[in-house]
Amino acid sequence: MENSPLASEIFLIASCISIACILAMAVSLAKKKDERRAYIIMKASASTLYVAAALFLLDSVLAGFKLGIGFTSFSALTMICMIYAVAFAFFKRKYGD
């Protein structure tokens, strides 16, 4: 089965968005921190950890029933970065920065 041009374009766009999220996360963590920014990063990181752990636990349980998604390392990193981006934006808006 050959890949359609649309599937290739969707994959390319999704890869670019994933790389942009990863870079944005790295930049946000590398900026100079004051107390408020450190608190925002701590809250976003903690909530990302909770959500990612819950998703991995859910995948493990579903894998026991042969229904698991089976995350690859890139998809897991992308998922974590997207969760972090949403959490960081939420806490940045909530606490201001």
Side-chain angles (χ1 to χ4, degrees):
M1 184 171 151
E2 292 184 29
N3 290 339
S4 69
L6 180 62
S8 298
E9 290 175 7
I10 291 173
F11 175 75
L12 185 63
I13 291 170
S15 296
C16 290
I17 291 172
S18 299
I19 291 170
C21 282
I22 292 168
L23 291 175
M25 183 180 78
V27 168
S28 75
L29 290 173
K31 284 186 178 178
K32 185 178 177 186
K33 300 173 190 154
D34 59 352
E35 291 87 15
R36 185 176 4 158
R37 183 162 184 84
Y39 183 72
I40 292 169
I41 290 173
M42 181 192 69
K43 294 287 277 185
S45 299
S47 62
T48 301
L49 176 67
Y50 299 146
V51 172
L55 287 175
F56 285 126
L57 181 65
L58 177 66
D59 185 53
S60 298
V61 169
L62 291 176
F65 296 107
K66 307 283 190 236
L67 300 170
I69 298 167
F71 295 112
T72 63
S73 57
F74 185 73
S75 65
L77 180 63
T78 302
M79 176 189 63
I80 290 169
C81 288
M82 288 183 181
I83 293 168
Y84 178 81
V86 170
F88 185 75
F90 173 78
F91 287 115
K92 188 174 181 180
R93 175 170 259 219
K94 183 175 180 180
Y95 296 114
D97 187 33

